[in-house]
Amino acid sequence: MRKFFGKFVSVTLAAAVIAMFALSSDDKWCSRVDKAFDESVLGSFLSESKGDYGRYATGLSGQTASVSADSGENGGNDGNGGTGQVIGQTADTASTDRATDSDYQETGKICDSTGVEGVYACGRLTGIYEQTEGVLVVNTTEVTNEDGKKVNPADKKVKCGDYIMSVNGRTVADKEELSEAVNDIMKQYDESNEDKSTVNIKFLRGGEEMSADIAPVRMDDGRYYMGIWVKDDLAGIGTITYYTKDGRFGALGHGIGDGTQSGNLLYANSGDLYSMKLTKIKKGKAGTPGEIGGVVYFGKKSHIGTLDCNSNLGIYGQLDSDELSEYAAEDTYYPVADKDEIHTGSAQMISEISGKLEKYNLEITNIDKKATDTNKGMELKVTDERLIELSGGIVQGTSGSPIIQDGKIIGAVTHVFVDDPTGGYGICIDEML
């Protein structure tokens, strides 16, 4: 089983992947199509569903995510001028920066057996939520102290992609705990008249534990700030590709990135799938990938499944028993195609983008059995006029849509060409299993 742990390329002619981002210059032709929701920009969009609350979200993309600052007057230096602005962009492939770190390696197949004979093809849209392991550093920024002087306490101490685990030995799991720990410690120094001005933070960088002493700045609101932009979770919309008879599922066909310019996969300690309601389809056009939007409902009654793996080839986990029974009663069980069985020609993708599960006609135009980027094992083109009319073709949020050919499941959609939303790439099913 794979351990639980996502590049945008801005070009005129490109392909967009349906996942998270990681800047790179080696592939200038595509980008993924699942965009994470910006929590603070969208605000507290609340809606009732089965007693749970909902928030607006869009399709996950490369490594797009909401950002929160532990410091800064009007936000950090990301150019967006405020807490929680989106700083990530659509990506074209999952990052492999952590591939040599044992905590992030892919360690086997989704099942214990050497092969999987068949799976249920799903195609359902789902809300995806992941909680980071520690607090993820997005950026450092200047803060203004009580004397009006601008300083950057964390500069060259931590960097984008680090995960803060503790402050003076006090474990922190989210933004609030980080802020509270820093302020509690500094206030203790003040009250005891201790001649101390720094706190020691321990953090992970590429799987290695490191530490740094940082001198928090007291601002005119009386609170202390380290000048670090951080976030502690990520959420968005994606597509479940398949599940087995015992409820093990695979989705997206690529990994979820950390939403920073580090280009790394998200280092997470928990993740969940939730029900969602589609409310918007933004049609794709040349130069601008389309996207879907909707309300993701959070809570026990809306829970669909649990994530336990985030790898370069997809996200994996276990469906809840109720969903497994409901899905299996409606979905078709398909034999799994070997890579040698996949051929150019007609195929179909299954998607819930219209509001119900439907098959849409595709053409497999090329197959690369030795693709270096396994997320691009096949090239495809949407030929179904219904889907083209509805969304322009492939859009952000449909990453993971299963592809069927000759009565077998052969893979999943993973990218859309930026210059032509009817075209894109897919991953072969044997790579996802």
Side-chain angles (χ1 to χ4, degrees):
M1 219 174 298
R2 312 168 197 270
K3 283 204 172 180
F4 187 84
F5 290 93
K7 128 175 168 194
F8 169 76
V9 187
S10 178
V11 290
T12 303
L13 298 176
V17 187
I18 302 171
M20 328 294 289
F21 92 166
L23 290 178
S24 157
S25 60
D26 61 337
D27 188 339
K28 300 182 178 180
W29 299 102
C30 55
S31 91
R32 273 180 228 144
V33 207
D34 291 319
K35 193 175 182 181
F37 80 101
D38 181 343
E39 180 176 319
S40 64
V41 170
L42 295 167
S44 55
F45 184 105
L46 300 178
S47 179
E48 296 301 319
S49 171
K50 298 187 291 186
D52 297 330
Y53 72 91
R55 300 190 89 106
Y56 185 80
T58 57
L60 288 168
S61 75
Q63 290 179 7
T64 307
S66 59
V67 180
S68 294
D70 98 302
S71 64
E73 302 146 282
N74 294 316
N77 56 2
D78 66 339
N80 290 316
T83 302
Q85 299 296 320
V86 172
I87 65 162
Q89 301 176 66
T90 306
D92 88 337
T93 186
S95 166
T96 56
D97 290 355
R98 296 184 183 270
T100 57
D101 299 325
S102 59
D103 286 344
Y104 296 85
Q105 287 178 348
E106 298 160 11
T107 58
K109 300 294 184 181
I110 189 171
C111 296
D112 293 332
S113 59
T114 56
V116 181
E117 293 184 356
V119 294
Y120 288 96
C122 190
R124 287 176 173 80
L125 296 172
T126 184
I128 300 169
Y129 177 85
E130 287 192 292
Q131 180 74 36
T132 65
E133 179 74 26
V135 183
L136 175 62
V137 175
V138 174
N139 210 342
T140 61
T141 186
E142 289 185 341
V143 292
T144 304
N145 63 21
E146 290 179 308
D147 298 327
K149 182 180 179 181
K150 289 184 179 294
V151 295
N152 192 333
D155 186 37
K156 296 181 175 59
K157 301 291 183 69
V158 296
K159 67 179 185 179
C160 175
D162 291 345
Y163 289 81
I164 299 174
M165 309 301 289
S166 67
V167 182
N168 281 20
R170 179 169 161 178
T171 301
V172 293
D174 56 38
K175 301 185 294 287
E176 289 73 21
E177 288 185 1
L178 174 61
S179 179
E180 288 175 6
V182 169
N183 277 274
D184 287 349
I185 292 166
M186 295 304 296
K187 287 177 181 177
Q188 288 176 9
Y189 292 165
D190 291 344
E191 292 171 359
S192 61
N193 294 317
E194 292 184 68
D195 187 21
K196 293 183 178 181
S197 60
T198 65
V199 296
N200 179 264
I201 64 168
K202 284 187 168 55
F203 55 93
L204 294 178
R205 178 177 294 171
E208 179 183 354
E209 185 174 301
M210 305 179 73
S211 67
D213 292 326
I214 296 178
V217 171
R218 182 169 175 168
M219 296 179 65
D220 54 14
D221 63 356
R223 294 183 61 80
Y224 287 89
Y225 298 86
M226 293 189 296
I228 305 175
W229 280 61
V230 301
K231 69 185 182 75
D232 54 21
D233 60 8
L234 181 147
I237 298 170
T239 300
I240 303 172
T241 304
Y242 68 84
Y243 55 93
T244 60
K245 289 182 178 179
D246 61 358
R248 292 291 303 171
F249 71 82
L252 298 185
H254 54 67
I256 295 179
D258 62 13
T260 74
Q261 293 182 357
S262 69
N264 295 329
L265 289 176
L266 185 71
Y267 183 25
N269 63 7
S270 65
D272 297 276
L273 300 186
Y274 292 94
S275 61
M276 56 82 61
K277 181 180 180 180
L278 184 66
T279 61
K280 180 190 76 172
I281 300 175
K282 178 184 176 182
K283 293 183 68 171
K285 58 183 180 179
T288 306
E291 68 177 19
I292 60 175
V295 179
V296 176
Y297 298 108
F298 299 98
K300 291 182 179 180
K301 295 180 180 179
S302 298
H303 193 268
I304 291 175
T306 302
L307 293 171
D308 55 36
C309 173
N310 177 25
S311 82
N312 286 333
L313 303 179
I315 61 174
Y316 301 87
Q318 181 71 37
L319 289 176
D320 295 344
S321 57
D322 289 347
E323 272 63 38
L324 175 58
S325 297
E326 178 183 333
Y327 291 178
E330 300 176 2
D331 296 338
T332 301
Y333 190 80
Y334 287 95
V336 171
D338 292 329
K339 192 173 292 184
D340 289 339
E341 296 180 88
I342 304 172
H343 59 84
T344 57
S346 61
Q348 293 177 309
M349 65 175 274
I350 302 174
S351 176
E352 200 180 20
I353 190 172
S354 70
K356 62 180 180 179
L357 285 172
E358 295 191 71
K359 290 182 178 178
Y360 297 98
N361 294 326
L362 303 174
E363 188 80 11
I364 306 300
T365 59
N366 187 49
I367 301 165
D368 186 354
K369 296 179 181 179
K370 297 181 180 180
T372 302
D373 186 346
T374 49
N375 306 97
K376 303 173 186 174
M378 66 181 92
E379 190 171 334
L380 55 91
K381 187 173 184 64
V382 175
T383 58
D384 199 306
E385 291 299 328
R386 296 172 302 157
L387 185 57
I388 295 173
E389 176 64 25
L390 179 65
S391 62
I394 304 168
V395 297
Q396 295 182 5
T398 57
S399 178
S401 299
I403 303 174
I404 309 299
Q405 186 181 64
D406 298 338
K408 294 185 177 183
I409 182 169
I410 65 170
V413 178
T414 56
H415 301 63
V416 59
F417 293 127
V418 172
D419 65 320
D420 178 9
T422 66
Y425 288 113
I427 182 173
C428 297
I429 190 64
D430 64 349
E431 298 289 356
M432 286 190 70
L433 291 172

